[in-house]
Amino acid sequence: QKEVEQDPGPLSVPEGAIVSLNCTYSNSAFQYFMWYRQYSRKGPELLMYTYSSGNKEDGRFTAQVDKSSKYISLFIRDSQPSDSATYLCAMSPGSSASKIIFGSGTRLSIRP
Amino acid sequence: SAVISQKPSRDICQRGTSLTIQCQVDSQVTMMFWYRQQPGQSLTLIATANQGSEATYESGFVIDKFPISRPNLTFSTLTVSNMSPEDSSIYLCSAFGGVLNTEAFFGQGTRLTVV
């Protein structure tokens, strides 16, 4: 079993829809949770960063962490064609010496 | 955030040759990381590069194949040696930044094709 599981998609939704992306994990030591967006032929770009359980909102993006269920989510409201990318979840125990574990990424396509 | 510059951005190389990838961070960082991302796959950590000591390699990666240098706190290189087509991949450099120094930032990547 992988430490981090993420549905690879592809996921295709119409413009304006709410998108829900999810990851599950098995290591209860994870404290820091990240979402990266990666456009084709580009490096991953840090999108959202959350510590421990709870919600964090930034514009159209909301990250949720449920440590009791070992489940994290990224919601995108009012999705735009420019949101079309691969979204990778990532997590670590926390210190800068910790290895970050990445999900396999979900390919998202927003249809105009 | 940390700004990470990586070069070359892409290269096409002959099998049997070596390529050195450079990574420059805009601030001093203790550790730098090198990842490989094969087409359609997630990121796989190759090694962690500490300034002043040998790099620490992950299972499946060896120093002879992927020698790493870390001459100072803002710069690192990764060499892909004796390349074969199986080495065709995107190679990414990363470093921690942010307020708590727990956010990982990435360079734009080096797209390597071995023919």
Side-chain angles (χ1 to χ4, degrees), chain B residues 40-60:
Chain B
Q41 304 291 317
S42 188
L43 283 71
T44 301
L45 181 63
I46 297 171
T48 301
N50 297 312
Q51 194 269 337
S53 64
E54 282 196 6
T56 302
Y57 289 83
E58 296 298 306
S59 175

Side-chain angles (χ1 to χ4, degrees), chain A residues 15 37 39 60-61 79-85 87 110:
Chain A
E15 183 175 355
R37 178 174 62 194
Y39 292 114
R60 296 184 294 110
F61 298 90
S79 55
Q80 306 292 312
S82 59
D83 295 327
S84 298
Y87 290 80
I110 308 297

Side-chain angles (χ1 to χ4, degrees), chain B residues 3-106:
Chain B
V3 177
I4 301 175
S5 303
Q6 200 175 323
K7 61 180 180 181
S9 59
R10 59 174 59 209
D11 209 340
I12 300 173
C13 300
Q14 296 289 327
R15 67 178 68 200
T17 63
S18 298
L19 176 71
T20 295
I21 303 167
Q22 298 179 9
C23 180
Q24 180 77 50
V25 187
D26 69 341
S27 58
Q28 293 185 340
V29 293
T30 304
M31 290 189 293
M32 296 175 70
F33 304 87
W34 287 98
Y35 287 84
R36 182 172 72 183
Q37 186 177 31
Q38 295 183 307
Q41 304 291 317
S42 188
L43 283 71
T44 301
L45 181 63
I46 297 171
T48 301
N50 297 312
Q51 194 269 337
S53 64
E54 282 196 6
T56 302
Y57 289 83
E58 296 298 306
S59 175
F61 298 96
V62 296
I63 188 171
D64 289 347
K65 176 68 176 177
F66 297 101
I68 288 171
S69 78
R70 184 76 202 277
N72 58 52
L73 290 173
T74 63
F75 187 80
S76 178
T77 67
L78 169 76
T79 298
V80 186
S81 302
N82 188 24
M83 290 183 283
S84 66
E86 292 70 35
D87 295 320
S88 297
S89 189
I90 298 172
Y91 292 85
L92 292 152
C93 171
S94 174
F96 281 104
V99 174
L100 299 176
N101 207 36
T102 52
E103 302 168 39
F105 295 90
F106 287 85

